Amino acid sequence: MELHDVWFVLIAVLWTGYFFLEGFDFGVGILTKLLARDRPEKRVLINTIGPVWDGNEVWLLTAGGATFAAFPEWYATLFSGFYLPLLVILVCLIVRGVAFEYRAKRPEENWQRNWETAIFWTSLLPAFLWGVAFGNIVHGVKIDRNFEYVGTLGDLLHPYALLGGLVTLTLFTFHGAVFTALKTVGDIRERARQLAMKVGLVTAVLALVFLLWTQIDSGDAKSLVALVVAVAALVTALVANQAGREGWSFALSGLTIVAAMAMLFLTLFPNVMPSTLNEDWSLTVTNASSSPYTLKIMTWLAVIATPLVLLYQGWTYWVFRKRIGTQHLADAAH
């Protein structure tokens, strides 16, 4: 296997890790409107992800940085062609981080309500737009002979990409609901399980249609295996959730994300960004990659740094592993 193939796999792993981790905290942010009945319950939801949300976003920075270093042509075409939706995502992530930090700085109800509304919308929009973006990456976009995107914003909003957005939105919401059930106690835990069943059923229908569409369009035997694993994991997650096995349900909802992302990258390879104008103008792992020397240096750095990052983040989740409820909140207003 060549180094550019190795880095394609590593970037796939980074994006998958990002969607697994950021997926549930996007979902929890969405649930602040759909599940929480009062301000204490909103505080409980936000506190479940409070210690980890910023660490989860590091996976996005690493994925973007790795793409820039390993496949500069891919990075350039992607970020220029998808400039507006990616800008919206970036603004949402900035506002979302500020909202988490500023929400409790003042006790006024309007102040806190406005920041909670910001958390909801800045969780919902990226959850949808990431699906639209990856739907376009897999489906292909208008790339010319110079590897430049020559389409418009409207060209990115076709049915396949919009369906991809709905899949990530509902899947992340389901992932967040089972995480909430896993991390809380009391009435909110039971309601999270009930909501997870409803959202999960919708997710299962949308995901099945999207993945079958992908398989028919550009799949092979390997992607079919990933499709089967994704669907089976999602269905089993629903069964585990119904049985009150929140840990298994969360692990299986995460496996659904992992298998679905594996399928998308399997159908994409060896392309990194197909051209719908001419197959010969597609960006591939070969023509979009950096020099072998650059990839070699990156590989050694990744071998050294990645285990340390994984150990630290795993330790963080272990420290904050206990369930919480409204009875654990401080009596102070803010």
Side-chain angles (χ1 to χ4, degrees):
M1 181 181 287
E2 299 289 339
L3 279 179
H4 51 65
D5 297 330
V6 171
W7 274 97
F8 178 86
V9 174
L10 291 176
I11 288 172
V13 170
L14 289 171
W15 281 110
T16 302
Y18 172 66
F19 285 154
F20 182 104
L21 296 171
E22 189 86 309
F24 72 73
D25 71 47
F26 280 149
V28 171
I30 294 169
L31 293 179
T32 57
K33 286 286 188 182
L34 302 182
L35 182 64
R37 291 176 174 174
D38 51 30
R39 179 135 294 110
E41 288 192 349
K42 290 183 179 180
R43 288 177 62 192
V44 168
L45 288 176
I46 294 172
N47 286 353
T48 62
I49 60 174
V52 298
W53 67 266
D54 47 355
N56 294 343
E57 289 188 356
V58 171
W59 286 75
L60 173 61
L61 299 176
T62 308
T67 304
F68 171 76
F71 299 100
E73 287 283 358
W74 184 12
Y75 182 93
T77 304
L78 176 65
F79 279 78
S80 59
F82 295 9
Y83 180 81
L84 184 57
L86 291 178
L87 177 62
V88 172
I89 291 173
L90 177 60
V91 171
C92 285
L93 294 179
I94 293 171
V95 174
R96 188 168 180 265
V98 173
F100 281 132
E101 298 296 335
Y102 275 54
R103 180 191 61 84
K105 294 298 184 183
R106 291 171 56 177
E108 291 89 345
E109 184 174 345
N110 286 341
W111 172 272
Q112 295 189 4
R113 185 190 303 116
N114 290 338
W115 285 120
E116 289 161 0
T117 300
I119 291 172
F120 169 76
W121 285 109
T122 56
S123 298
L124 185 148
L125 287 174
F128 175 74
L129 290 175
W130 279 127
V132 174
F134 270 84
N136 277 287
I137 291 172
V138 173
H139 178 269
V141 292
K142 294 181 178 179
I143 299 175
D144 65 12
R145 66 175 69 249
N146 298 316
F147 302 135
E148 295 180 359
Y149 178 72
V150 293
T152 64
L153 178 62
D155 293 326
L156 303 178
L157 304 177
H158 50 85
Y160 178 81
L162 294 175
L163 177 59
L166 291 176
V167 170
T168 53
L169 174 60
T170 54
L171 181 56
F172 290 171
T173 305
F174 172 69
H175 197 39
V178 295
F179 177 79
T180 300
L182 176 65
K183 287 288 293 178
T184 57
V185 295
D187 180 58
I188 193 171
R189 174 188 176 189
E190 297 302 318
R191 285 188 283 111
R193 285 176 51 204
Q194 294 171 9
L195 182 60
M197 285 301 300
K198 297 176 182 177
V199 176
L201 291 172
V202 176
T203 304
V205 174
L206 294 175
L208 181 60
V209 174
F210 179 74
L211 294 178
L212 284 175
W213 190 343
T214 305
Q215 178 66 25
I216 293 170
D217 187 47
S218 54
D220 56 16
K222 293 179 181 178
S223 63
L224 179 59
V225 172
L227 185 155
V228 172
V229 172
V231 173
L234 182 54
V235 172
T236 312
L238 288 169
V239 174
N241 178 74
Q242 184 66 22
R245 303 296 297 272
E246 291 101 343
W248 280 105
S249 183
F250 177 72
L252 288 163
S253 68
L255 178 59
T256 303
I257 295 174
V258 171
M261 290 298 293
M263 180 187 178
L264 295 183
F265 277 98
L266 283 169
T267 59
L268 186 60
F269 186 81
N271 293 322
V272 294
M273 211 165 175
S275 172
T276 57
L277 300 179
N278 189 322
E279 289 186 2
D280 294 335
W281 299 344
S282 296
L283 289 168
T284 69
V285 293
T286 303
N287 64 25
S289 68
S290 293
S291 68
Y293 183 71
T294 300
L295 296 178
K296 184 177 180 179
I297 294 175
M298 291 174 59
T299 302
W300 280 110
L301 291 174
V303 167
I304 296 170
T306 302
L308 298 176
V309 173
L310 292 176
L311 285 171
Y312 176 76
Q313 191 161 28
W315 175 78
T316 302
Y317 276 91
W318 175 255
V319 169
F320 295 102
R321 66 189 182 278
K322 293 184 179 180
R323 296 177 183 265
I324 62 173
T326 54
Q327 66 269 31
H328 300 121
L329 299 177
D331 294 331
H334 67 290

